[in-house]
Amino acid sequence: MIMLSTIFTSVLLPMSQLKEALARHTVDELKSLLRCLPEATATGKKDELVNKIYGGLAGAGLHALWNRLDDMQRLAVAETLYAMDGVFHPDRFRAKYGQLPDFSVKEPGSRYAYHRQPTPLALLLYYQEGYYGVPADLGEQLKAFVPEPAPVQLHTIKALPEMVRESRLVVRNTERDAMADLTVLLRLVDQGKVQVSDKTSLPGTATLRLLTDSLANGDFYTGGITKHRQSQDIGPIKSFSWPVLLQAAGLVQRNGTRLALTSAGLKALSAPPAGVLSMIWKKWLKSSLLDEFSRIDVIKGQKSKSRVMTALPSRRAVISDMLRLCPIETWISVDDFSRFMQATAHTFEVTHDPWALYICEREYGSLGHDGFHSWDILQLRYLLCFLFEYAAALGIIDVAYIEPDGARDDFRRLWGADDLEFFSRYDGLVHFRLTPLGAYSLGLTDNYTVAMPQPHVAFSVLPSLHVQVARGRMSVEETLLLETWAEKETEESWRLDRQKALRAIEKGHDIAELRTFLQAREEQTLPEPVESFLKTAEKQGRALKIVGTALLIRCEDAELAEMIATRKGTAGLCLRAGEQHLVVRPEQEEKFRALVRALGFGIAI
């Protein structure tokens, strides 16, 4: 159980003195308040009524009134007294205690619920400038005997249940999956297999299907857990997020409709995966490539022309900061984490204008209506997406989840939501825990070490340059690596290919990676022809190197080319390239043009 005092920064509101607060009430309101003081009579002019209440709250009268408060009312007074801004915050109070205190109750004998009378709490908390607070002089008296409230608590879970809401709870440990997925994605990109939209940079159906089949243990909802739906599909989660994350981190870039590795992406292939994943996390937090709230696709109007949605980095920063308060390798309920955020005033907004967002129909289904844009509908759904689709994909958290159907029913009262089976594909996320990799990425630990698993496949590497599977089965990651350097002949046989090796080295791959990969899976020393292949490919793959671009100029005839190439001044700025062509470096172009013009010639485009 983690405890945290309410931490927020706010300007201290100057509360009035008790008599000033009472003077703002009408005579009828003062008479109603006096009913909470049995010793006083509700008669007299306004000043008399104010003085009666003032006197009734002095000394023993204040203690007597305190004793008449119920537990929630006492907590409301304590929270207000010891709040940094001296204000009662209903949302924080409800999040911490699960309900609000009663400021009024139904009038005895009345048939109507709106006929209400104040409770004793109304004599201690007064409305001023849009907030409830305790008058300054009354607060000094109360602090003499009202204890400070206990800090907010984040509850942890020792053991997960097998079932939640009559559904089997699925647990996914994500660290190793994330490390394998990173390599798989980078190799698929390197082989030109990952396509995205040229307008949105998001993956299409074919790519999502490929990634779902290629990622470690598949996507979160694949296999037996997913059932057929007529109206709603859960769809991809981490299969969708990985292309977004790689682009946000600058490891890949879009060339037309295909992703290609950048120089940073090539280096990431041979770098320790934990460091790369940590870097991706940090860069994604600041990225504006995609607003993940758009993945809550039942909510329309997010892309209207007016500025509807809030800035992404600020939202993400709040959640990331709160994750730093979580204990490592300890399960936490998502709902309790959400409650903890609200109770400690670590909140955020996802929209500037909830009226612009709607379900099904803009007028009746607008989220601007009272109760339609609550924390659970907007902020909690964003939190679920943040955790499930991005933090879990990168191995920051492990997750425990059920099917989204019926997992949450807080949206059932919304107009237009009658036919929905779930409000978001992330509704099934129930618990999460911060991983050691997550602690490293969040800066909670300085180092991260992981014992790399031993290969589950053994090779027989032959002098004929054939690589045969002797036992076991290759993983997707192993298959993609070998495919970079070799041609597949059968399901269990590959042949090292010189052309493929040269293309891989041209792209920036290090053939030492292939040598290490083969030797780790071959009990014997690699055959001499294989070693020769590796050495020759490494040497010849780097035999030529592009050092820059050049300007190719065609002369009218060979005599003119010869004259310019040999004349003092221009000779050092160009080289012959055949009979009529000259080559000039871009940085020398202007100087070369000036000298050629001095000779009486021009260079046409």
Side-chain angles (χ1 to χ4, degrees):
M1 183 179 293
I2 307 302
M3 294 188 297
L4 182 72
S5 297
T6 304
I7 46 177
F8 56 89
T9 304
S10 182
V11 177
L12 183 66
L13 293 178
M15 289 304 299
S16 60
Q17 300 295 309
L18 177 57
K19 282 192 174 182
E20 295 173 4
L22 290 169
R24 287 194 294 270
H25 288 73
T26 66
V27 170
D28 288 340
E29 289 171 343
L30 291 171
K31 289 181 178 180
S32 294
L33 288 173
L34 273 167
R35 295 174 188 170
C36 299
L37 298 173
E39 297 80 6
T41 56
T43 58
K45 296 182 179 181
K46 184 172 183 177
D47 288 347
E48 294 175 311
L49 297 175
V50 167
N51 288 329
K52 286 181 180 180
I53 296 175
Y54 186 81
L57 295 178
L62 185 60
H63 278 272
L65 183 70
W66 171 260
N67 291 331
R68 292 174 56 200
L69 299 179
D70 62 31
D71 289 342
M72 283 295 111
Q73 291 168 337
R74 290 185 180 185
L75 288 170
V77 173
E79 290 287 348
T80 309
L81 277 177
Y82 293 99
M84 291 180 64
D85 57 0
V87 166
F88 175 71
H89 295 277
D91 291 341
R92 298 175 196 170
F93 189 89
R94 191 201 303 272
K96 185 173 181 179
Y97 299 107
Q99 65 183 84
L100 290 175
D102 290 325
F103 281 82
S104 64
V105 293
K106 182 181 176 183
E107 202 170 85
S110 174
R111 296 191 311 174
Y112 305 105
Y114 56 83
H115 287 170
R116 304 182 69 81
Q117 65 181 31
T119 66
L121 180 61
L123 286 170
L124 301 179
L125 295 184
Y126 292 83
Y127 191 76
Q128 178 182 346
E129 298 181 10
Y131 299 94
Y132 280 96
V134 179
D137 52 347
L138 187 60
E140 292 177 5
Q141 299 179 60
L142 287 168
K143 279 189 175 180
F145 59 87
V146 174
E148 189 169 352
V152 183
Q153 297 178 342
L154 176 63
H155 302 284
T156 57
I157 301 169
K158 292 183 178 179
L160 293 178
E162 292 186 5
M163 305 289 289
V164 172
R165 291 201 173 193
E166 301 181 355
S167 296
R168 180 174 62 88
L169 190 67
V170 178
V171 177
R172 288 285 287 267
N173 300 322
T174 63
E175 275 186 312
R176 290 203 181 280
D177 283 0
M179 293 181 188
D181 291 345
L182 171 65
T183 303
V184 167
L185 259 294
L186 292 175
R187 295 201 179 281
L188 287 173
V189 168
D190 185 50
Q191 294 172 16
K193 295 181 178 180
V194 180
Q195 292 183 287
V196 295
S197 166
D198 58 353
K199 294 182 179 179
T200 65
S201 296
L202 300 180
T205 302
T207 293
L208 291 172
R209 189 179 298 115
L210 169 67
L211 297 187
T212 298
D213 294 338
S214 302
L215 294 178
N217 297 309
D219 212 324
F220 293 120
Y221 289 106
T222 53
I225 188 171
T226 304
K227 61 186 180 183
H228 176 71
R229 292 169 175 76
Q230 293 183 346
S231 60
Q232 282 183 280
D233 287 321
I234 298 176
I237 294 181
K238 67 174 180 173
S239 301
F240 178 90
S241 64
W242 264 112
V244 175
L245 290 165
L246 294 181
Q247 290 178 82
L251 298 181
V252 303
Q253 62 186 11
R254 184 171 57 79
N255 289 341
T257 60
R258 294 185 185 274
L259 294 183
L261 292 183
T262 62
S263 57
L266 278 169
K267 292 178 182 177
L269 272 171
S270 55
V276 178
L277 291 168
S278 178
M279 179 274 292
I280 294 173
W281 170 259
K282 293 180 176 69
K283 289 199 172 184
W284 172 73
L285 289 177
K286 299 177 181 180
S287 168
S288 58
L289 178 64
L290 173 75
D291 185 345
E292 50 272 21
F293 191 79
S294 64
R295 297 279 285 153
I296 317 297
D297 43 28
V298 302
I299 297 181
K300 313 301 181 183
Q302 298 182 44
K303 297 182 180 180
S304 59
K305 294 181 179 180
S306 59
R307 186 167 171 260
V308 175
M309 310 307 289
T310 58
L312 289 165
S314 58
R315 293 185 223 157
R316 295 169 182 160
V318 172
I319 303 173
S320 180
D321 288 344
M322 292 305 288
L323 286 175
R324 291 189 179 93
L325 300 176
C326 297
I328 304 173
E329 297 188 278
T330 303
W331 288 106
I332 295 169
S333 161
V334 171
D335 286 330
D336 194 63
F337 185 71
S338 172
R339 176 199 61 81
F340 187 60
M341 291 182 68
Q342 295 175 80
T344 56
H346 275 76
T347 57
F348 58 91
E349 299 293 337
V350 297
T351 179
H352 298 292
D353 181 14
W355 285 103
L357 305 179
Y358 61 94
I359 302 171
C360 293
E361 199 275 330
R362 189 179 297 272
E363 182 177 355
Y364 296 104
S366 173
L367 298 188
H369 294 296
D370 187 34
F372 277 38
H373 53 276
S374 66
W375 172 277
D376 287 351
I377 295 301
L378 296 180
Q379 286 91 333
L380 175 59
R381 276 354 191 262
Y382 179 81
L383 173 64
L384 290 169
C385 177
F386 178 100
L387 295 174
F388 211 174
E389 193 160 83
Y390 297 90
L394 290 174
I396 304 297
I397 58 170
D398 294 328
V399 288
Y401 55 96
I402 59 175
E403 289 241 5
D405 291 8
R408 297 181 180 273
D409 56 10
D410 51 1
F411 63 93
R412 296 297 178 192
R413 59 185 176 81
L414 300 182
W415 192 95
D418 296 345
D419 296 330
L420 296 178
E421 295 168 332
F422 49 82
F423 199 69
S424 81
R425 58 177 55 85
Y426 318 104
D427 282 9
L429 181 60
V430 183
H431 305 288
F432 73 90
R433 66 180 174 189
L434 188 64
T435 66
L437 175 61
Y440 172 70
S441 299
L442 290 166
L444 299 176
T445 56
D446 295 331
N447 300 296
Y448 176 82
T449 55
V450 58
M452 297 306 294
Q454 292 296 317
H456 295 296
V457 64
F459 288 161
S460 176
V461 183
L462 305 177
S464 62
L465 304 186
H466 282 83
V467 179
Q468 295 183 345
V469 177
R471 67 174 182 274
R473 185 175 181 180
M474 293 174 64
S475 66
V476 173
E477 180 182 357
E478 291 170 321
T479 300
L480 287 171
L481 189 149
L482 194 53
E483 192 174 278
T484 302
W485 307 92
E487 289 287 354
K488 184 176 182 180
E489 295 187 340
T490 68
E491 286 299 320
E492 297 186 345
S493 179
W494 301 72
R495 189 179 189 283
L496 297 176
D497 182 81
R498 191 171 305 280
Q499 295 300 314
K500 273 200 163 187
L502 293 176
R503 283 197 297 270
I505 294 170
E506 285 177 345
K507 288 182 177 181
H509 290 282
D510 189 348
I511 203 168
E513 179 186 36
L514 174 62
R515 179 184 282 107
T516 302
F517 173 77
L518 295 175
Q519 191 61 78
R521 291 156 181 79
E522 168 61 89
E523 296 178 355
Q524 306 298 321
T525 303
L526 296 180
E528 192 282 327
V530 174
E531 283 289 355
S532 177
F533 170 88
L534 297 174
K535 292 176 182 177
T536 301
E538 183 175 22
K539 180 180 179 180
Q540 295 182 350
R542 305 179 190 279
L544 287 79
K545 186 175 182 180
I546 296 174
V547 294
T549 57
L551 190 68
L552 181 64
I553 300 172
R554 183 175 63 83
C555 300
E556 188 176 27
D557 50 46
E559 288 75 14
L560 179 58
E562 175 65 19
M563 185 269 287
I564 295 175
T566 58
R567 192 176 183 86
K568 185 180 180 180
T570 56
L573 301 179
C574 64
L575 293 172
R576 293 290 294 274
E579 290 188 359
Q580 291 181 250
H581 291 82
L582 300 174
V583 176
V584 179
R585 288 181 296 177
E587 63 269 23
Q588 301 287 1
E589 180 183 353
E590 289 304 317
K591 186 177 181 181
F592 181 77
R593 282 179 179 273
L595 290 172
V596 169
R597 281 196 294 268
L599 294 174
F601 302 98
I603 303 175
I605 297 177

